[in-house]
Amino acid sequence: MIKLIVGLGNPGQQYEKTRHNAGFLFVDCLADFFDASWVAASQFQGELAECNISGSRLVLLKPMTFMNKSGMSVGKVLRYYKFRPEELLVAHDELELVEGIVRLKRDGGHSGHNGLRDIIAHIDSRDFYRLRVGIGRPAAGKNVADYVLSKMSSDSQLSLMRLFELLLGCMGGVIEGDLALVNELVLSK
């Protein structure tokens, strides 16, 4: 059962609605949908919200440590609440999936994602769930860092929000760890 959902992103207004902040956007949608309020939690170097989904308490976290240092915040929350890595779901942007696709998986490497790399290092485990939010790759010859840190178009933002709305309908099963519910969720065009 998932007890902690972490959305990866970078704090600050300049990073709002960038592709790299897809994880922040997802947990913000969750908090809004379940009427949970974000609270600054300096002891965790992040913002926390708590909600109830299908009768289970769920903690939401947005690390305020910047993407590449997310593991510090995640590790502190896991230890404080005594959650196990397998009770963790990390929502993050995924270059290898086209925009409009979300996949849920458990376990695996970091695939070059620095936020995941830091979490794995701090919790000493790869055994956690990942909600991979497709952002696609930049055009050939374009810089990946510039691409992920650039603002999404209004059409892309709208598509992402529609995708998250579909995902909200599955959250009870996702919390239970039912990978089949979101093995691949695709927004129809």
Side-chain angles (χ1 to χ4, degrees):
M1 173 177 273
I2 293 169
K3 297 181 179 177
L4 171 64
I5 297 180
V6 175
L8 295 186
N10 287 312
Q13 194 171 20
Q14 70 270 34
Y15 298 109
E16 286 179 7
K17 298 182 181 168
T18 63
R19 290 172 180 87
H20 218 24
N21 275 29
F24 273 15
L25 294 171
F26 175 66
V27 292
D28 281 339
C29 284
L30 269 178
D32 287 347
F33 187 79
F34 292 104
D35 203 25
S37 300
W38 291 105
V39 176
S42 59
Q43 72 272 33
F44 301 126
Q45 296 174 283
E47 292 181 3
L48 283 180
E50 291 191 22
C51 55
N52 190 313
I53 299 178
S54 301
S56 299
R57 182 178 107 197
L58 182 67
V59 177
L60 307 176
L61 170 67
K62 291 192 295 187
M64 293 290 126
T65 53
F66 288 91
M67 179 73 74
N68 297 351
K69 303 256 185 227
S70 298
M72 289 188 294
S73 179
V74 174
K76 287 178 180 186
V77 172
L78 282 178
R79 287 186 294 278
Y80 178 82
Y81 285 96
K82 297 179 175 52
F83 294 153
R84 298 182 317 273
E86 59 270 19
E87 296 172 320
L88 166 66
L89 181 140
V90 177
H92 64 90
D93 59 308
E94 178 59 64
L95 287 165
E96 302 307 322
L97 295 176
V98 297
E99 195 175 282
I101 293 180
V102 171
R103 284 192 185 144
L104 180 66
K105 71 178 253 182
R106 182 173 174 180
D107 207 348
H110 53 72
S111 299
H113 193 289
N114 289 329
L116 291 177
R117 177 183 284 126
D118 198 58
I119 290 170
I120 290 167
H122 276 84
I123 69 171
D124 195 29
S125 177
R126 297 168 185 254
D127 187 21
F128 56 91
Y129 293 90
R130 297 101 193 279
L131 183 69
R132 302 166 61 217
V133 180
I135 61 168
R137 285 200 156 273
K142 298 290 183 183
N143 182 288
V144 172
D146 290 342
Y147 174 75
V148 299
L149 294 175
S150 66
K151 302 261 186 211
M152 290 182 278
S153 69
S154 54
D155 284 346
S156 292
Q157 289 176 42
L158 183 61
S159 292
L160 192 59
M161 291 303 117
R162 286 180 40 223
L163 191 60
F164 289 163
E165 286 173 13
L166 289 172
L167 192 53
L168 289 173
C170 306
M171 284 312 296
V174 170
I175 298 304
E176 294 296 324
D178 188 348
L179 293 174
L181 282 174
V182 190
N183 187 18
E184 183 171 293
L185 186 61
V186 179
L187 184 63
S188 56
K189 302 281 181 187

